[in-house]
Amino acid sequence: MYNYHEATISVLPKNFEAVNSEFDDYNSAAPGFGESFPLCFSSNRRSSGGEFDIIYKPIYIYFSKETGELTVEEIKNSNSDYLINSAEIDKVLRKTNSSSNELGPYMTENFHSSGKLLLLFANDESGDFDIKFIHDLNNQDYDSIYNVPILNSPFDDYYPTFNKDSSQIYWCSNRNGQFDIFNVELDNSHDLVDKLNDQSDKSIRKIDALNSSANDKCPFIIKDFMVFASDRAGGFGGFDLYYSENINGEWTEPQNLGSRINSEHDEYRPIIHPMGPDFTNDFMIFSSNRPVGLGGFDLYYVGIDKVDP
């Protein structure tokens, strides 16, 4: 007879000690969560505080029904099938990382089911950040890195995220003088690669319901739920995390995620993935430079209310 039948992720942020370093670690992305998942994030650890690369760590989440403890750790067993199968991610990152900065990784969710991988990220080798992607779809073996022409401008463009049916892509840009969240409609009659390679004229929309007169950035969408970072007035200090829901095609007024998660320091790039039915809440990862970390920006995880299906 087990003592615990449901898992609850801590509702107070926990330092993601399994992956953090004394340098800046942030901008994470994960295509799916289960007991194991691949975590990609940006870090300047390899350059000892210089340029940012995308780092990969295979992560294991375990809940003990006997003790009620939740363990989040890096998989280090070289014989692990999961570690062996995730070698594809290491392969793509060897081609993606450069002497410039790579930020904001976003992996598509078909990695687990098909073994195929498409990675979006931003790179500043041109002088400003442009959104790019690399993939092994359509029998291509990460042969090229492509720009996403419908998203990029002469300014900084990064943090792409799709809506739930991939009919729209959202991102943030400082093309108007501060960071705002934008989106563009995609042609769902095309496959994902063709959508991203589309060079036709598109209507770029600034999402007024989400934006403020301050900086609004790092959007991430799961189902009809968006989380993002903003330094708008009324927060707890620096950048805070906010959420909005898409109801009948319209985004609701953003709400601050509160002092339980936010601090007087900076909170950036939240990502969420729903946990299974054995969990009472969902899993969110974000980055923060709060002083209790290992150094610079660290990744943290926290439990939030389940996102409605």
Side-chain angles (χ1 to χ4, degrees):
M1 181 68 69
Y2 293 119
N3 296 320
Y4 298 88
H5 300 281
E6 290 184 315
T8 297
I9 302 161
S10 172
V11 297
L12 296 176
K14 298 289 186 182
N15 189 285
F16 214 145
E17 294 180 353
V19 300
N20 287 319
S21 70
E22 63 184 292
F23 299 101
D24 292 315
D25 303 295
Y26 56 42
N27 296 290
S28 61
F33 288 92
E35 289 191 343
S36 302
F37 65 92
L39 178 69
C40 286
F41 58 96
S42 296
S43 176
N44 59 3
R45 64 182 66 182
R46 290 177 176 169
S47 59
S48 299
E51 73 275 357
F52 284 85
D53 291 321
I54 301 174
I55 305 291
Y56 161 61
K57 297 288 185 180
I59 299 300
Y60 178 64
I61 297 179
Y62 174 73
F63 176 76
S64 171
K65 292 186 177 181
E66 294 181 348
T67 67
E69 287 187 71
L70 183 76
T71 302
V72 183
E73 60 187 11
E74 179 186 353
I75 301 172
K76 294 184 177 180
N77 180 1
S78 60
N79 294 321
S80 165
D81 288 341
Y82 193 84
L83 195 60
I84 294 170
N85 293 337
S86 295
E88 283 293 295
I89 299 177
D90 283 326
K91 181 179 179 181
V92 71
L93 293 185
R94 284 195 295 270
K95 295 190 177 182
T96 299
N97 289 324
S98 70
S99 59
S100 300
N101 291 289
E102 283 77 38
L103 296 179
Y106 183 96
M107 283 191 288
T108 56
E109 295 183 353
N110 63 351
F111 176 69
H112 286 300
S113 59
S114 69
K116 298 291 187 178
L117 175 64
L118 185 146
L119 176 73
L120 286 142
F121 64 99
N123 173 286
D124 66 349
E125 66 181 356
S126 67
D128 58 85
F129 278 99
D130 290 323
I131 296 172
K132 303 179 179 183
F133 74 98
I134 187 171
H135 69 94
D136 70 338
L137 307 180
N138 307 331
N139 299 315
Q140 178 167 329
D141 190 23
Y142 313 118
D143 296 327
S144 301
I145 295 176
Y146 301 91
N147 279 294
V148 186
I150 57 175
L151 307 184
N152 292 321
S153 71
F155 300 91
D156 292 319
D157 299 280
Y158 42 36
Y159 301 102
T161 182
F162 293 98
N163 68 336
K164 65 180 181 180
D165 66 355
S166 297
S167 63
Q168 299 177 24
I169 189 168
Y170 290 72
W171 77 104
C172 64
S173 174
N174 61 355
R175 62 187 65 189
N176 289 343
Q178 74 284 323
F179 280 99
D180 292 312
I181 297 172
F182 296 83
N183 84 343
V184 66
E185 297 278 350
L186 302 174
D187 187 346
N188 261 1
S189 67
H190 295 161
D191 64 24
L192 184 55
V193 172
D194 287 340
K195 288 179 183 180
L196 296 175
N197 278 325
D198 190 352
Q199 299 194 39
S200 63
D201 289 335
K202 296 287 186 181
S203 176
I204 305 299
R205 298 182 298 182
K206 176 184 170 184
I207 310 302
D208 291 336
L210 299 174
N211 292 308
S212 67
S213 59
N215 293 289
D216 302 288
K217 58 194 304 188
C218 310
F220 183 86
I221 299 173
I222 182 71
K223 300 177 182 177
D224 286 318
F225 194 83
M226 178 189 286
V227 282
F228 64 96
S230 177
D231 63 353
R232 64 184 61 192
F236 293 92
F239 279 86
D240 279 5
L241 303 185
Y242 289 78
Y243 72 91
S244 175
E245 297 179 84
N246 193 295
I247 299 176
N248 297 323
E250 300 292 334
W251 291 102
T252 61
E253 181 179 353
Q255 301 296 313
N256 191 294
L257 277 168
S259 59
R260 178 172 56 81
I261 292 175
N262 291 309
S263 72
E264 62 183 357
H265 303 279
D266 292 314
E267 279 71 49
Y268 280 145
R269 184 61 187 289
I271 66 168
I272 300 171
H273 193 93
M275 299 299 284
D278 292 336
F279 285 80
T280 64
N281 53 2
D282 285 335
F283 192 93
M284 182 171 79
I285 302 174
F286 64 95
S287 59
S288 177
N289 60 354
R290 58 189 67 184
V292 295
L294 299 184
F297 277 89
D298 277 5
L299 297 175
Y300 291 80
Y301 65 88
V302 67
I304 66 168
D305 291 344
K306 277 190 172 290
V307 176
D308 290 335

